[in-house]
Amino acid sequence: MQRAKVGVLISGRGSNMAALLYAAKAESCPYEIVLVAANDPDAPGLALAAAEGIATFGQSHKGLKRAEFDRIIDAQLRAAGADYVALAGYMRLLSPEFVGAWENRMLNIHPSLLPKYKGLDTHQRAIDAGDSHAGCSVHIVTAELDDGPVLGQTPVAILPGDTADTLAARILIAEHQLYSRTLADFVTRERQPDWLLNKVREIALAMPQAEETLSHGMPCFGVAKGKKFGWFTRDHHGDGIIALLVKTSAPDEQATLIEADPARYYRPAYFGNDWVGIRLDLGDTDWDHIAIRLRASWRQIAPKKLLGLMDIAEEF
Ligand code: GRF
């Protein structure tokens, strides 16, 4: 299994970074840490990461414009080959350019049950409000501070006599477990059959008069009362493969595709020479390409009247 490459950004202690890093030592962990970077060269977390053999980068942001500093960090992340970014106590507001560049690829951990208590001083605010539980959240980073879809949360009971410090210490234990688990789920979600099927479904059902049915246990997409243009196969006859089958649009296209990329394309059993299987479980699916293939497949089977409508629509 290809492990997802994660860059972690910290500002200080880096205990969440350490938790992510130690979890990644398990062979079954679907991510690896490729870089730990900090906006303070003396951040204690950097020394810890370096001692574990992880590449580190530390530079103060002082004297640099926000976007300028973010460009430096971005370049470091890319040079390290990071696919994802995990913010772990990174005490910097991010420029919109940086957030945009890592859209849906950057997570953060926050010590509250979001949407409650965004920003700082979260533990005291939870105690002062008389809440029964505080906790922590992992969310996708968007332009707004501590906003963005929440991926996972752990509630932590507030004890009588808790101070901000005692509560923070207990929440930190929950943070260390939640972050690694959530990050692991996040980097593998694009390989999960349900996620892949939904993605195919979204594209396929956007075609004129497309409908989904189930045939031979496989979800498939066709023109209503007409022929099918896409099949979603998931471990069919125990082959362990998740793939999309589409109709090809030229006589030798199946062979050409298989020859060009034999790891991705294959000849689907029982479908003949004018269909091709495209693996969706390799972790690097180009969804624009899948959309093009599905459209071309739809064109192969769509009745003339619909094709005319599609031509008109595509002109706009
Ligand atoms: C954690 O409480 C985290 O939730 C918050 O900042 C703190 C960082 O601690 N965003 P550490 O550097 O991971 O130990």
Side-chain angles (χ1 to χ4, degrees):
M1 179 192 54
Q2 264 290 100
R3 285 174 168 227
K5 295 180 168 33
V6 178
V8 186
L9 304 186
I10 63 169
S11 291
R13 180 175 59 177
S15 72
N16 275 289
M17 176 277 295
L20 293 178
L21 192 161
Y22 298 143
K25 291 193 177 199
E27 228 171 82
S28 59
C29 186
Y31 68 81
E32 62 180 317
I33 308 291
V34 292
L35 176 74
V36 176
N39 60 324
D40 170 3
D42 298 323
L46 286 180
L48 185 153
E52 295 290 348
I54 308 287
T56 59
F57 175 80
Q59 183 181 323
S60 168
H61 57 272
K62 289 193 185 121
L64 291 172
K65 292 218 171 74
R66 191 174 303 285
E68 216 177 311
F69 182 73
D70 284 358
R71 270 198 295 278
I72 295 173
I73 297 292
D74 186 78
Q76 291 292 327
L77 288 164
R78 296 195 190 270
D83 309 311
Y84 296 90
V85 177
L87 305 181
Y90 189 56
M91 304 302 280
R92 291 277 302 156
L93 291 176
L94 301 167
S95 60
E97 293 80 11
F98 188 85
V99 174
W102 293 94
E103 190 183 5
N104 275 322
R105 291 268 178 267
M106 179 157 54
L107 305 189
N108 180 43
I109 185 150
H110 183 73
S112 82
L113 295 174
L114 289 171
K116 277 187 162 181
Y117 315 129
K118 298 176 179 179
L120 297 174
D121 209 16
T122 55
H123 309 100
Q124 193 59 51
R125 286 154 74 198
I127 293 170
D128 291 348
D131 292 352
S132 68
H133 287 76
C136 50
S137 311
V138 172
H139 65 96
I140 298 179
V141 176
T142 54
E144 292 292 311
L145 178 71
D146 299 329
D147 209 62
V150 170
L151 300 172
Q153 289 188 315
T154 307
V156 172
I158 299 180
L159 301 180
D162 251 343
T163 64
D165 286 347
T166 57
L167 180 59
R170 235 170 28 260
I171 290 178
L172 198 60
I173 300 171
E175 289 185 37
H176 293 164
Q177 298 178 38
L178 178 71
Y179 209 176
S180 167
R181 189 172 70 228
T182 311
L183 178 61
D185 285 350
F186 188 70
V187 302
T188 46
R189 71 176 184 167
E190 294 181 15
R191 294 180 200 186
Q192 303 301 327
D194 288 341
W195 191 92
L196 294 168
L197 173 58
N198 268 329
K199 193 85 187 165
V200 167
R201 182 177 279 145
E202 226 172 75
I203 304 169
L205 292 183
M207 307 291 169
Q209 290 193 16
E211 66 169 17
E212 179 176 346
T213 47
L214 204 64
S215 177
H216 298 87
M218 293 190 253
C220 50
F221 303 90
V223 168
K225 299 201 189 75
K227 295 184 176 166
K228 307 211 184 318
F229 61 91
W231 297 72
F232 181 85
T233 136
R234 162 199 314 200
D235 199 21
H236 198 57
H237 295 307
D239 62 6
I241 285 174
I242 305 171
L244 172 69
L245 313 185
V246 288
K247 227 170 156 59
T248 49
S249 22
D252 293 326
E253 202 177 13
Q254 186 200 65
T256 315
L257 289 168
I258 295 172
E259 203 182 324
D261 192 350
R264 190 176 315 272
Y265 297 98
Y266 66 96
R267 181 182 196 284
Y270 313 113
F271 273 77
N273 289 330
D274 53 351
W275 286 79
V276 69
I278 314 172
R279 301 269 308 251
L280 299 175
D281 52 0
L282 302 178
D284 62 350
T285 300
D286 175 348
W287 288 99
D288 291 336
H289 174 72
I290 297 294
I292 290 168
R293 285 260 144 231
L294 271 168
R295 265 200 295 276
S297 184
W298 179 90
R299 281 187 160 279
Q300 293 301 304
I301 57 95
K304 281 227 169 60
K305 200 174 67 197
L306 277 185
L307 275 177
L309 286 178
M310 187 71 149
D311 288 341
I312 295 167
E314 278 180 354
E315 264 181 45
F316 287 96

